[in-house]
Amino acid sequence: MYFKVQMMQNVHLAPETDEDDLYSGYNDYNPTYDTEELENDIAFQEAVRTSHGRRPPITAKIPSTAVTRPVATGYGSKTSLASSMGRPMTGAIQDGVTRPMTAVRAAGFTKAAVRGSAFDPLGQSRGPAPPLEAKNEDSPEEKIRQLEKKVNELVEESCIANSCGDLKLALEKAKDAGRKERILVRQREQVTTPENINLDLTYSVLFNLASQYSANEMYAEALNTYQVIVKNKMFSNAGRLKVNMGNIYLKQRNYSKAIKFYRMALDQIPSVHKEMRIKIMQNIGVTFIKTGQYSDAINSFEHIMSLAPNLKAGFNLILSYFAVGDRDKMKKAFQKLIAVPLEIDEDDKYISPSDDPHTNLVIEAIKNDHLRQMERERKAMAEKYIMTAAKLIAPVIETSFAVGYDWCVEVVKASQYVELANDLEINKAITYLRQKDFNQAVETLKMFEKKDSRVKSAAATNLSFLYYLENEFAQASSYADLAVNSDRYNPSALTNKGNTVFANGDYEKAAEFYKEALRNDSSCTEALYNIGLTYKRLNRLDEALDCFLKLHAILRNSAQVLYQIANVYELMEDPNQAIEWLMQLISVVPTDSRALSKLGELYDSEGDKSQAFQYYYESYRYFPSNIEVIEWLGAYYIDTQFCEKAIQYFERASLIQPSQVKWQLMVASCFRRSGNYQKALDTYKDIHRKFPENVECLRFLVRLCTDIGLKEVQEYATKLKRLEKMKEIREQRVRSGRDSGGGSRSRREGSAGSDSGQSCSASSKGERLSAKLRALPGTNEPYESSSNKEIDASYVDPLGPQIERPKTAARKRIDEDDFADEELGDDLLPE
């Protein structure tokens, strides 16, 4: 009853309003609830004085809710109570009037309101809300909050800098974040309890710092930072960071510690994290391979392939079995690798089944999206692993590599990688080439003539390339036509066709094929290089220079391209630019004697003898068998009056060309010029024994013996007279034979022959060589590395003119690193 009195204090009456008032009726209330007559209510007063109708006291959470005076609810003296407690039930009907709910405060009434106040449920009469309380930026809590925000920003900036490749900036940001985080911890300890320290922020700062140390190859600092995290028991799941520590030890080639930390991390990772555990086991297996513990590596990879097969683990398992030489296990591992699911969609998904424009738009949108690109990359990686594994095990799993390749081809044909079987067959032909079995390689490639167009084009391209190298241009042209007809958009086939036309001298038509190859594939460097050579042959030097400059932008350090640019500038009579590009060339191939001798020639033509001598000498040092370089160096020392130094060069020339008497005469002449007459005499005598009919040698012997006063002078003089007489008789016979022919034409031809003979005689008599070097190979000759060449007794100039031939393009390179890449050209020019 007391509770009811308290609640009724909140009942207020609204003023009377018109009948149209929305809130009319609030003034009407049951007289039963009139509290003014409670003092005269006998039943109520009796209930107050006695325990009659007393209810248990209500426990109030807020002490202020109790009132000071006891006010109770009365129903009049004539009204009986509705319950045994003397309190009517909520909603009870008394005297025909329903008792209202007592929770009337929510309807807009307030304790302070008085009768006649306006109804204001939204509290609009109270006016606007007071302004927000301004933050106190000087408070310790606000300073801590701002400092924490700054630390988070520094960590984010460090991660962004790392992703952009700026590792140094990323490390600086990480260090700055670490310093500010330590300041933050100290401030928190002063203001709050240690339990309120933000451990997540500390963990992220330390982890980012360790990662940046590792990225900058500061492994000792990274390991120390990781140790700080791992040893702190307050960081949950910090044990898995031992994987990162194992990776660092692996980079340092400390394999035993790497395995130790990998195993520690594996023990601390629960079995529910299956993918993480498999990756760690894969790292352990790779480390075992690096240490040569192949049996342990096999156990790791076998466990992975039994739980969750993947391409890397399967390939590494094959490598391990290959290392131990287990043929049967290699076969089983290869079959497991083939059976690894790719989990990608079929290509048919991206083909529209109908003409519905909406469906076509969706297919076009997803045909080259990121998911599709990821699927292509995964498929390309799988094909690379399978091709590499097949080429690795094929020569060893059977008695011969051909039988091994056939087994691999059969296994691949029965798998989801059917299209790789043809690539394996082509690799089989390339293996025949490595073994110098040209006929078997050709036979293997000819098997593809009846295959589908793509494979036929690839095989025909390789056959054209092989026949071109064998100088069988007709066969090369035939297979190039077959390759082009099978696949008109094959740039390698078009390049080979252009090469065959180039070899036949039709440069304009060759240029058209090269242009078409470039239109199909703008990255076909072989076609771009060959079209530059073609423009050189057509004397369109500006266009040739443009081609080679474009190629230089693609292949920055290609020695061939650099040489061609220098050669074009030389043809354009711009020696300064030619020298500049040759300087770039020798920075790429500093030991190439041909490039060094060319630089010496250009400096010699410019009149800079000292620079010319420097580069000629470097060329001689790397390749001391170049006759032209030897000749220039010997002549240079003679011109500078250092005949003694010239002797060694002419002696080497006489060793290279023992049938050429002029080099030995030059040696003797150098002895004579330097005043060593006895050595000169001995050298002339030796020459006379080897070449008894050499008139020049006898003349110098007569002169030296006369000057020295030797008795042998008469003997040499007699031989000289006899040789001169014999020579005169031969000349007379030649003249008489020509005169007997009669006619002015015969006489003219005889005169010309006599003049020619006199010219040759005059040239053979000269001792002194000029310092000017004879011309190097034709200016249209492509760059090639210098190599020693055999010289027979008749001596063919090793730097004589050679035919410039364009690059050839084949579907595959023939080298040890060949992985069945799609239609690659040959980078080397055939000799």
Side-chain angles (χ1 to χ4, degrees):
M1 295 298 294
Y2 175 74
F3 177 75
K4 276 297 165 186
V5 172
Q6 182 181 10
M7 293 300 299
M8 291 306 296
Q9 288 180 351
N10 295 327
V11 178
H12 305 284
L13 300 179
E16 294 185 0
T17 57
D18 297 333
E19 293 181 356
D20 295 333
D21 189 357
L22 181 64
Y23 300 103
S24 61
Y26 280 97
N27 294 337
D28 300 330
Y29 67 99
N30 195 327
T32 306
Y33 301 107
D34 187 2
T35 59
E36 296 179 356
E37 300 295 333
L38 286 179
E39 295 180 358
N40 300 323
D41 190 343
I42 300 173
F44 177 74
Q45 295 297 331
E46 181 181 359
V48 171
R49 288 193 301 269
T50 66
S51 62
H52 177 72
R54 181 174 297 178
R55 299 175 59 190
I58 298 176
T59 303
K61 294 183 179 180
I62 304 175
S64 60
T65 56
V67 294
T68 57
R69 63 184 182 89
V71 180
T73 304
Y75 303 98
S77 58
K78 296 180 181 182
T79 304
S80 62
L81 297 177
S83 65
S84 60
M85 303 294 291
R87 175 180 180 271
M89 296 192 311
T90 303
I93 301 176
Q94 303 222 353
D95 297 335
V97 180
T98 304
R99 180 176 180 268
M101 303 293 289
T102 57
V104 292
R105 184 183 295 251
F109 297 99
T110 62
K111 185 183 298 185
V114 295
R115 291 183 182 273
S117 62
F119 180 76
D120 187 14
L122 300 180
Q124 297 177 357
S125 60
R126 291 178 294 180
L132 295 175
E133 184 180 355
K135 287 185 178 181
N136 185 6
E137 296 183 357
D138 294 333
S139 64
E141 292 80 3
E142 184 64 24
K143 289 182 178 179
I144 289 173
R145 193 178 299 110
Q146 293 297 326
L147 188 56
E148 184 174 333
K149 181 179 179 182
K150 181 62 177 177
V151 171
N152 281 314
E153 290 176 354
L154 286 172
V155 172
E156 291 179 3
E157 291 173 4
S158 175
C159 295
I160 293 172
N162 182 282
S163 64
C164 295
D166 194 347
L167 302 181
K168 186 176 180 181
L169 178 62
L171 180 59
E172 292 298 326
K173 294 287 185 182
K175 288 181 178 179
D176 194 11
R179 288 190 292 267
K180 292 188 180 302
E181 194 273 336
R182 287 191 293 272
I183 297 173
L184 174 63
V185 170
R186 287 195 295 269
Q187 290 187 4
R188 279 188 182 276
E189 290 175 348
Q190 294 174 1
V191 176
T192 61
T193 59
E195 290 77 8
N196 294 329
I197 295 176
N198 191 345
L199 290 177
D200 292 337
L201 182 61
T202 304
Y203 180 88
S204 62
V205 169
L206 290 174
F207 178 69
N208 179 61
L209 181 60
S211 300
Q212 302 309 332
Y213 275 134
S214 179
N216 285 270
E217 299 183 357
M218 301 172 66
Y219 298 130
E221 292 83 352
L223 289 172
N224 292 335
T225 308
Y226 279 127
Q227 286 285 3
V228 172
I229 302 175
V230 171
K231 290 182 178 180
N232 193 334
K233 302 301 182 182
M234 299 178 68
F235 295 138
S236 60
N237 298 325
R240 64 182 59 190
L241 291 183
K242 291 180 180 178
V243 176
N244 295 14
M245 300 175 71
N247 292 338
I248 293 175
Y249 283 121
L250 184 64
K251 292 178 182 177
Q252 292 179 330
R253 303 193 177 189
N254 191 344
Y255 300 125
S256 60
K257 278 199 171 183
I259 293 174
K260 175 184 176 182
F261 275 88
Y262 285 144
R263 285 177 169 169
M264 291 169 64
L266 191 64
D267 293 339
Q268 296 187 15
I269 293 178
S271 58
V272 293
H273 296 157
K274 181 179 178 182
E275 187 175 352
M276 174 66 75
R277 292 178 62 86
I278 286 175
K279 288 182 178 180
I280 296 175
M281 285 189 285
Q282 190 159 315
N283 284 6
I284 293 173
V286 172
T287 311
F288 277 131
I289 289 179
K290 289 183 177 292
T291 58
Q293 297 173 283
Y294 299 113
S295 59
D296 294 329
I298 288 171
N299 293 334
S300 296
F301 294 128
E302 284 284 7
H303 184 65
I304 294 172
M305 294 300 289
S306 64
L307 292 178
N310 63 78
L311 293 169
K312 290 184 179 180
F315 182 74
N316 288 333
L317 182 61
I318 293 174
L319 290 181
S320 302
Y321 281 130
F322 178 82
V324 298
D326 194 332
R327 294 184 178 182
D328 295 334
K329 293 293 183 63
M330 274 189 271
K331 289 183 177 181
K332 292 180 181 179
F334 186 75
Q335 291 172 337
K336 289 181 181 179
L337 178 64
I338 291 286
V340 172
L342 282 181
E343 299 178 354
I344 61 175
D345 294 326
E346 298 294 335
D347 292 336
D348 297 340
K349 174 183 177 181
Y350 302 97
I351 300 175
S352 177
S354 63
D355 295 332
D356 183 12
H358 179 71
T359 305
N360 294 336
L361 285 175
V362 172
I363 291 175
E364 285 296 325
I366 67 174
K367 189 178 291 185
N368 198 34
D369 61 356
H370 292 294
L371 178 60
R372 180 59 175 162
Q373 292 174 7
M374 186 191 71
E375 291 177 345
R376 289 199 193 101
E377 291 174 0
R378 182 179 296 178
K379 185 176 181 181
M381 182 180 67
E383 292 177 352
K384 178 181 177 181
Y385 281 135
I386 293 170
M387 289 295 296
T388 308
K391 290 193 295 182
L392 179 68
I393 67 174
V396 297
I397 58 175
E398 298 292 348
T399 55
S400 66
F401 86 91
V403 180
Y405 263 108
D406 293 338
W407 182 87
C408 292
V409 169
E410 293 301 323
V411 173
V412 170
K413 283 182 178 179
S415 69
Q416 55 183 326
Y417 305 99
V418 182
E419 64 275 6
L420 290 183
N422 294 323
D423 295 332
L424 280 174
E425 290 284 359
I426 292 178
N427 274 281
K428 180 180 176 182
I430 292 175
T431 307
Y432 277 124
L433 285 177
R434 291 198 182 103
Q435 297 182 354
K436 299 183 179 179
D437 194 345
F438 181 78
N439 294 328
Q440 284 291 342
V442 172
E443 289 298 324
T444 305
L445 290 173
K446 284 183 177 179
M447 294 169 53
F448 293 95
E449 292 183 6
K450 296 182 180 180
K451 299 280 185 177
D452 60 79
S453 59
R454 185 187 69 84
V455 179
K456 184 194 297 184
S457 177
T461 300
N462 281 347
L463 284 169
S464 174
F465 164 71
L466 294 176
Y467 282 120
Y468 184 87
L469 293 181
E470 292 291 318
N471 290 330
E472 297 182 18
F473 298 126
Q475 286 278 53
S477 179
S478 173
Y479 280 103
D481 289 333
L482 178 61
V484 172
N485 294 333
S486 301
D487 185 2
R488 188 71 188 182
Y489 299 99
N490 185 348
S492 299
L494 292 167
T495 301
N496 282 355
K497 180 59 181 175
N499 292 346
T500 58
V501 175
F502 184 98
N504 294 327
D506 192 350
Y507 303 123
E508 292 287 354
K509 190 174 181 181
E512 292 300 322
F513 280 108
Y514 296 143
K515 288 178 182 177
E516 186 174 355
L518 285 173
R519 284 195 294 269
N520 292 337
D521 183 5
S522 59
S523 63
C524 183
T525 55
E526 292 86 358
L528 186 57
Y529 182 90
N530 291 347
I531 198 172
L533 297 182
T534 306
Y535 285 144
K536 276 179 60 179
R537 287 295 180 92
L538 296 172
N539 202 31
R540 293 155 63 176
L541 300 180
D542 291 333
E543 296 176 66
L545 183 62
D546 289 340
C547 291
F548 290 126
L549 289 175
K550 289 178 183 177
L551 195 57
H552 176 65
I554 301 172
L555 308 174
R556 301 297 299 180
N557 294 322
S558 173
Q560 296 181 1
V561 176
L562 292 171
Y563 176 83
Q564 292 296 343
I565 294 173
N567 185 243
V568 171
Y569 275 120
E570 184 184 3
L571 293 176
M572 297 171 71
E573 299 180 353
D574 190 349
N576 293 327
Q577 283 290 337
I579 289 173
E580 181 179 342
W581 284 96
L582 283 174
M583 293 295 289
Q584 293 188 38
L585 173 60
I586 64 173
S587 68
V588 176
V589 280
T591 61
D592 191 280
S593 63
R594 182 69 62 84
L596 292 167
S597 64
K598 190 65 179 178
L599 265 173
E601 179 189 353
L602 290 173
Y603 276 117
D604 186 30
S605 64
E606 291 293 300
D608 192 343
K609 295 290 184 182
S610 60
Q611 285 285 0
F613 170 75
Q614 176 185 346
Y615 288 109
Y616 272 124
Y617 182 77
E618 287 294 312
S619 176
Y620 171 79
R621 192 163 64 88
Y622 290 119
F623 183 47
S625 299
N626 191 329
I627 290 294
E628 293 185 354
V629 173
I630 292 172
E631 182 180 4
W632 191 94
L633 289 171
Y636 174 80
Y637 280 119
I638 290 176
D639 284 346
T640 54
Q641 305 299 320
F642 291 101
C643 299
E644 300 87 350
K645 292 185 178 182
I647 292 173
Q648 60 173 328
Y649 296 103
F650 292 126
E651 285 179 344
R652 179 170 290 276
S654 66
L655 292 175
I656 297 171
Q657 295 180 336
S659 61
Q660 294 288 332
V661 68
K662 66 176 183 177
W663 306 120
Q664 300 182 44
L665 288 173
M666 290 302 302
V667 172
S669 176
C670 289
F671 281 126
R672 183 171 55 82
R673 289 170 180 269
S674 61
N676 194 345
Y677 295 107
Q678 185 60 44
K679 192 68 175 177
L681 180 62
D682 295 340
T683 306
Y684 279 124
K685 287 180 180 180
D686 186 55
I687 296 171
H688 177 63
R689 283 193 299 270
K690 294 178 182 179
F691 305 95
E693 294 185 358
N694 188 276
V695 177
E696 295 299 322
C697 180
L698 284 173
R699 286 176 180 170
F700 283 111
L701 278 173
V702 171
R703 184 182 302 175
L704 278 175
C705 290
T706 303
D707 293 342
I708 299 175
L710 297 178
K711 298 177 181 179
E712 301 170 1
V713 63
Q714 189 62 37
E715 178 186 352
Y716 293 129
T718 303
K719 290 181 180 180
L720 178 60
K721 288 180 181 180
R722 185 171 64 250
L723 285 175
E724 288 178 345
K725 188 174 183 180
M726 291 174 62
K727 183 179 180 181
E728 185 178 351
I729 292 172
R730 283 197 299 269
E731 290 177 355
Q732 287 177 357
R733 287 177 181 176
V734 172
R735 284 197 298 268
S736 63
R738 290 175 178 173
D739 292 342
S740 63
S744 59
R745 179 180 178 183
S746 297
R747 286 194 296 272
R748 286 196 301 270
E749 289 177 355
S751 175
S754 176
D755 294 341
S756 176
Q758 293 174 3
S759 175
C760 292
S761 174
S763 64
S764 65
K765 292 180 182 180
E767 290 182 65
R768 183 169 180 175
L769 296 174
S770 67
K772 185 176 181 181
L773 184 64
R774 287 180 297 175
L776 278 172
T779 53
N780 54 359
E781 181 189 10
Y783 171 84
E784 61 181 5
S785 299
S786 301
S787 59
N788 296 332
K789 300 186 179 181
E790 296 181 358
I791 301 174
D792 56 15
S794 61
Y795 175 63
V796 177
D797 191 348
L799 298 181
Q802 300 177 10
I803 298 174
E804 184 180 48
R805 294 167 62 180
K807 284 189 178 183
T808 55
R811 187 174 185 271
K812 306 201 182 330
R813 300 177 189 268
I814 306 176
D815 55 23
E816 292 299 326
D817 296 329
D818 181 27
F819 288 127
D821 295 330
E822 184 65 19
E823 298 184 355
L824 297 177
D826 188 349
D827 280 347
L828 299 178
L829 291 176
E831 294 183 358

